[in-house]
Amino acid sequence: MSTIEIEYCVPCGFLERAEDIQHALLEQFGDRLDRVALVTGDHGVLTVAVDGEIVWDKAEDDYDVDEITRRVRDVI
């Protein structure tokens, strides 16, 4: 079982995006996950980490929930 953390920038208003990612991951992998946590951050952050390893970062990648889901699938 894996743990996923979605860190999102509160001042930037990324909560809705973080919730969309969380929902997609729980739908796809809910039975294989211990936790999908939303973690508050700032400075424009929006990242997805699986067991402490960042698999997607808004600073480097386009926002695409399907791509994020694929990357998580590759790790878990």
Side-chain angles (χ1 to χ4, degrees):
M1 302 283 268
S2 296
T3 297
I4 296 177
E5 289 190 345
I6 303 164
E7 185 176 5
Y8 67 97
C9 179
V10 174
C12 298
F14 289 160
L15 175 59
E16 188 173 323
R17 287 184 181 188
E19 289 174 332
D20 289 345
I21 295 166
Q22 181 185 45
H23 182 79
L25 295 177
L26 285 170
E27 275 191 337
Q28 289 289 316
F29 312 114
D31 60 336
R32 298 191 292 180
L33 302 174
D34 285 325
R35 170 174 64 131
V36 179
L38 298 179
V39 180
T40 58
D42 54 15
H43 296 93
V45 69
L46 183 58
T47 60
V48 177
V50 179
D51 297 326
E53 176 188 342
I54 293 178
V55 297
W56 182 86
D57 187 338
K58 179 190 77 63
E60 300 171 6
D61 305 299
D62 292 332
Y63 175 74
D64 179 351
V65 175
D66 292 332
E67 176 61 22
I68 295 167
T69 302
R70 282 190 288 277
R71 290 186 187 189
V72 169
R73 181 182 297 115
D74 290 344
V75 176
I76 64 168

